[in-house]
Amino acid sequence: MRYGMGAVIALLVVALAVCAGLSRKSKRSMAPSVAKLIGALVMPVTGNLIIILSSDRTLSVLGYFIYFLGMNLVMFTMLGFTFRYCHMPRPPRGMKALAYALLIADAAQLLCNPIFRHAFDIEAIQVAGAAYYRLIPYAGQTFHRIVCYGIFLAIVGIFFWKMITAPRLYLERYAVIFLSMVVVGIWETFYIFSRSPIDRSMIGFACFGLLVYYFAVHYKPVRLLDRMLANVASQMLQGVFFFDAGGRCVWVNRAGRETFHIDRDNYEPSAELLAGIFGDISGEEWVRHEAIMDGSVRKYYQLEKHSIQDSRGRTAGAFLSIVDETERHLAAEKDRYDATHDSLTGLYSREYLYERIRETIDANLDRAYMICFLDINDFKMVNDVFGREFGDYALKSVADSLRRDMGPDYLYGRLSGDAFGMCIPKESFNPEIAVATLSQFTVRRGETEYRLIIHQGVYEVVERDMDISGMFDRANMALESIKDEYNLHVAVYDSAMRERALWDQRIARELPEAIRTGQVRPYLQPIVDDRGRVVGAEALARWIHPAEGFLAPYRFIPTLEKNGMIAQVDRHIWRCACEILSGWKDNDLFISINVSPKDFYFMDVVKELTGLVREYAVEPSRLRLEITETVMMTDEAKRIEILKALREAGFIVEMDDFGSGYSSLNMLKDMPVDVVKIDMAFLRKTQDDVRARTILSSIMQMTNNLKLAQITEGVETAEQFANLRDMGCGMFQGYYFAKPMAVADFMKLLDGSRALA
Ligand code: C2E
Ligand code: MG
Ligand code: MG
């Protein structure tokens, strides 16, 4: 019996040593503390083995020492193991220190036993026919038991606490260790109180060590995993349905039950119910999307079915997951709508309109289409004057009217701020209706009422492969040609417009070089007095183009007026005029230069001109400035100041083209000028000579009364010259005297008689 027991314990020592070794090799995070605990267990169990087998007193004493000190070591390592196993990363500091202090004190007092004999002694008894040394405990031994029991009970307490507080899923993990500790504890207690000579409880401790090894290092918590997976499945937001091999539904998670109103006590009707909603759900592996009506709401689902195979590859069942995609679908739909529609007006955005037009044109090759570009004139002004809110309202009104008037196969959208685009089948396009709508577009909001001026450029889709943006560019080109017109609303693109646009681009590109090389230069047209003698000249720009030849101003000036580059031409012509004047030492002729209204945007006209006359030492009164009334259209007060400053600097300011504009008389009232330059061109078309003469003589009289000098330009006949002279006009310019000519020709003319009439 005694030796049989010894053999069992010896086996356990070997087993523990092996497990300690295996734990050291394991990569699990728990392994090091497990290795220490099991390694420590080897010591008391070995001690116990020695006690059981020894018949020698000294050997037995050694056995008891190894046993007791070993128990201290076991408690020490068990504390470390417990903290790790129970995930207590920061065990209470005081508690840990107290436990370690007690263990060390206990070990120390045990080691003093040979001196004081206070802890234990042994006495020989007969067991199984041989001497066996039984323990006689003293106070020190009682202390040792209290320390070890105290720590042991604390550890059991920790496991118990974890067992009841951790999620149920982890119960098994703590319960096994807890229960085995309880068994070992009771066993040990039994030994102590039974006074049985041989301590069998070490078997319990060794088994406990092996259990710890198994659970902490080796054990794969299959049940735990199963339960975790079931938990995950039941908490998933999608519906999950499990079917057995026969296709019967065996389990439905919570989302599935709630969405499809399935009774948790009876899953069987689920398959039929789902088939009723989604159609056939048989088959093994598939994914599909379904849209179904739930009452009045449309709902979107993704269904995914997979079969489940057992370890031998046989179908054990299947599962179906059903994801409610309604929200995602609606969000995607909204994103798509936002991306394709303008947020203010709800019309198609430009990109989407282009896309739709492309599709439509490509899909209807036998149909002709018109591309229309609509633009609100001066919309910035509407915003500035009436406020952004009214501006937005106006844009919405235009959008509403488009929606109202458009036919079913029209496409339309908002191209940019105040521009709208349309694509209309040619047979439905009616310019008269367009004009009628556009010409009286009034926006009313509360007290405010404003008539929008809307222009429409139209391009007939002839080149179907062209980019849609190119088509709109052409429609826009047509629109640009009437942008400044108040009575014209619709313009249709023709190829001349394209030529014009290309020409405009070319001029802009080539101008700087042309100025630098003198291709652009002034021609001089003589101005004569009432006796026909030359008193001055007007400098008129000409472009002697290397490829296009001689270009009159109408070929390039309007373009440059539009893009602002006219200022470069003017600066150049003014400089040329000053240069010519500075060369005229022996006469007192003047040169009139043209000042474009655009110049005022691009330079400080006063500074520029005073700088030039100073540079060339020219008397400012010899450089006359021709300015049209349009200069007063914007920023009138400031312009008046500029003209005053120019006159104060000594320049003579002339109002050019008087009578040809809309409000010459009105302007004359405010514009500070010295000379009025009357344009005869505006009388040229009239048949009624008497009326023309009446008007001219009235102008002469009026300007005389205002103490303004007059020049009449466009004089073509001797008769005109005579009549104007009779009316009191002092200076004349026109083909009757001479056409504009190169500077050299003009000099030759001066060398002659100087009298041109
Ligand atoms: P403008 O300043 O009114 O110049 C007078 C125009 O009338 C010139 O046309 C001249 O050739 C033309 N003309 C003179 N006498 C007669 C005549 O008896 N009969 C007819 N039918 N026409 C006559 P041009 O040179 O073609 O210039 C046209 C316009 O171009 C000018 O009108 C002026 O506004 C502008 N322009 C010309 N050169 C310049 C320039 O250097 N700078 C600026 N800003 N504009 C210029
Ligand atoms: Mg002029
Ligand atoms: Mg003129």
Side-chain angles (χ1 to χ4, degrees), residues 29 498 624 634:
S29 64
R498 183 180 145 75
R624 296 189 171 201
T634 41

Side-chain angles (χ1 to χ4, degrees), residues 538 540 594 626 628 655-658 660 677-679 713 733:
E538 178 174 4
L540 294 156
N594 290 286
E626 295 193 8
T628 56
M655 185 175 180
D656 199 0
D657 299 344
F658 182 85
S660 67
K677 194 162 182 186
I678 303 151
D679 194 344
E713 60 179 328
Q733 180 184 347

